[in-house]
């Protein structure tokens, strides 16, 4: 879509891909009605009020957990990997070690930054776009 849009001056409606089936309203509406009916029966059996959060969790937990997993990776890269690699890089330069080891630390930092960016993009995609679309379609 992006490459095609750059080659031409305009993007046509036929060039835009369709939504994945799991986010289409007809499928989500039927699934959410079924999930709500199940929640009402389960709540009645347990002696509690039915909860909309339980329906959302039942329908979209995989997407939400994927987003949280990506978010954990972002945290790992930004708070553990990069500081440790910077520390080792500084120590190797202060100790006057050969440039090969410092080069490895620099390459590790570059990879860490790249992977952090990929994880950040996937976090936003999973939580904001996919879970958000599912939430809106379910309500």
């Amino acid at each position: 879509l992006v490459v095609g849009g750059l080659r031409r001056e305009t993007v046509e409606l036929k060039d835009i891909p369709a939504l994945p089936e799991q986010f289409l309203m007809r499928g989500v509406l039927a699934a959410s009605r079924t999930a709500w009916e199940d929640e009402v029966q389960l709540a009645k059996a347990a002696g509690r009020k039915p909860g909309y959060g339980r329906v959302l969790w039942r329908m979209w937990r995989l997407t939400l957990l994927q987003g949280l997993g990506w978010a954990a990776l972002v945290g790992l890269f930004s708070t553990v990997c990069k500081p440790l690699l910077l520390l080792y890089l500084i120590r190797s330069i202060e100790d006057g070690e050969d440039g090969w080891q410092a080069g490895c630390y620099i390459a590790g930092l570059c990879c860490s930054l790249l992977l952090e960016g990929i994880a950040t993009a996937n976090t936003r995609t999973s939580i904001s776009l996919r879970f958000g679309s599912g939430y809106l379609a379910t309500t």
Side-chain angles (χ1 to χ4, degrees):
L1 178 65
V2 173
V3 173
L6 291 174
R7 288 185 186 158
R8 292 173 275 158
E9 291 183 16
T10 61
V11 176
E12 309 250 342
L13 184 60
K14 64 181 170 103
D15 297 331
I16 299 173
L19 278 174
E21 187 67 32
Q22 68 183 11
F23 298 121
L24 293 178
M25 190 61 146
R26 64 180 172 266
V28 173
L29 185 60
S32 64
R33 283 184 179 155
T34 303
W36 179 253
E37 290 168 3
D38 292 344
E39 172 60 22
V40 168
Q41 290 176 0
L42 289 171
K44 202 178 279 187
R48 60 172 168 76
K49 292 173 60 174
Y52 187 67
R54 289 183 189 89
V55 173
L56 282 176
W57 177 251
R58 190 174 303 133
M59 291 183 63
W60 302 107
R61 69 176 167 256
L62 181 61
T63 303
L64 186 59
L65 291 173
Q66 284 174 342
L68 293 175
W70 283 113
L73 280 177
V74 171
L76 180 70
F77 286 123
S78 65
T79 61
V80 177
C81 291
K82 287 192 309 187
L84 280 177
L85 286 169
L86 281 171
L87 176 69
Y88 293 145
L89 175 64
I90 291 168
R91 284 185 182 167
S92 72
I93 291 171
E94 285 177 347
D95 294 342
E97 296 176 4
D98 61 351
W100 182 84
Q101 193 172 11
C104 287
Y105 291 135
I106 292 171
L109 276 169
C110 291
C111 288
S112 179
L113 285 169
L114 176 68
L115 293 174
E116 182 184 359
I118 291 170
T120 300
N122 282 316
T123 298
R124 292 177 181 159
T125 299
S126 293
I127 293 178
S128 297
L129 296 179
R130 292 184 182 158
F131 181 72
S133 298
Y135 172 77
L136 289 176
T138 304
T139 59

